[in-house]
Amino acid sequence: QDLERETVRIARLVNEVETTQQEADAYRAELAHKDEEFDQKTAQLRRNGEGAARELKRLHAAYAELEEEHAKLQEASSAEIEELQGKVTKYEEDREKEDTENAILLRLLHAELDKYKGQASQFETDLERKQRDDVKSTVMLGLLNSQVDQHLAENQRLEQ
């Protein structure tokens, strides 16, 4: 009866280990997927940032040209120059706002990634503990089987 109980308990432990392994595999797959999404989003943000930097550089060059024109045509076109300066300022403010939002988004994504890495680490620790428990159970089962074999041999010897 003890052997049967131990066998059932070991079967449950093996089942538990397999379930935990499946959960860990599913979590790793999910983490890999999220990591890939994060990498894609980061690459997209970089591309957007590089494009914006080129655009900003182009706008700065255009602004410099406008200032030269401004010096030549200041009295004749002061209203038109003020309008263009307003547009440039608004674009720079919008760009700065987008950069701030992108930085916040990156921080949030990094925080989520760190959280998932911590969970993965905990799952691995739990899995290792369960594997050690499984090894202990296997050793105990071996000892119990050995004792049963000894008792059977002793019983046979006594019967003879």
Side-chain angles (χ1 to χ4, degrees):
Q1 286 179 344
D2 287 343
L3 181 58
E4 286 177 16
R5 276 186 268 159
E6 283 301 315
T7 303
V8 169
R9 188 173 83 70
I10 288 172
R12 277 192 304 238
L13 287 173
V14 167
N15 227 1
E16 215 176 84
V17 167
E18 289 174 355
T19 301
T20 302
Q21 182 64 42
Q22 289 171 353
E23 289 172 357
D25 291 345
Y27 180 75
R28 282 189 198 106
E30 179 184 340
L31 186 60
H33 177 70
K34 286 185 180 192
D35 200 22
E36 182 178 321
E37 284 181 358
F38 175 78
D39 289 345
Q40 290 172 355
K41 286 178 182 178
T42 301
Q44 182 62 39
L45 288 173
R46 277 198 190 102
R47 287 190 297 271
N48 290 347
E50 291 168 359
R54 286 190 300 272
E55 181 66 16
L56 188 59
K57 186 176 180 180
R58 185 190 67 75
L59 286 172
H60 280 296
Y63 184 75
E65 288 177 21
L66 288 174
E67 281 196 335
E68 286 178 19
E69 256 183 71
H70 180 268
K72 293 176 187 173
L73 306 171
Q74 185 173 3
E75 289 180 9
S77 60
S78 62
E80 187 177 310
I81 295 296
E82 287 176 15
E83 181 184 329
L84 289 174
Q85 286 176 336
K87 286 180 181 180
V88 168
T89 301
K90 179 166 177 14
Y91 181 81
E92 288 175 347
E93 289 170 359
D94 291 346
R95 194 67 235 141
E96 192 173 290
K97 182 180 175 185
E98 285 178 16
D99 288 346
T100 300
E101 290 172 357
N102 288 344
I104 289 170
L105 180 60
L106 275 174
R107 275 188 239 126
L108 288 172
L109 290 172
H110 279 291
E112 281 295 309
L113 180 62
D114 290 344
K115 179 179 123 183
Y116 287 121
K117 283 181 180 178
Q119 287 177 349
S121 184
Q122 181 62 42
F123 281 141
E124 287 179 6
T125 301
D126 291 345
L127 180 62
E128 288 172 5
R129 182 181 44 77
K130 287 189 186 276
Q131 286 173 341
R132 285 191 303 272
D133 289 345
D134 187 41
V135 168
K136 288 177 187 176
S137 296
T138 303
V139 169
M140 289 297 290
L141 182 61
L143 289 172
L144 288 172
N145 282 338
S146 174
Q147 288 178 354
V148 167
D149 290 343
Q150 287 175 356
H151 287 295
L152 286 174
E154 190 175 320
N155 283 343
Q156 285 178 352
R157 191 176 41 89
L158 289 174
E159 287 177 2
Q160 292 173 354

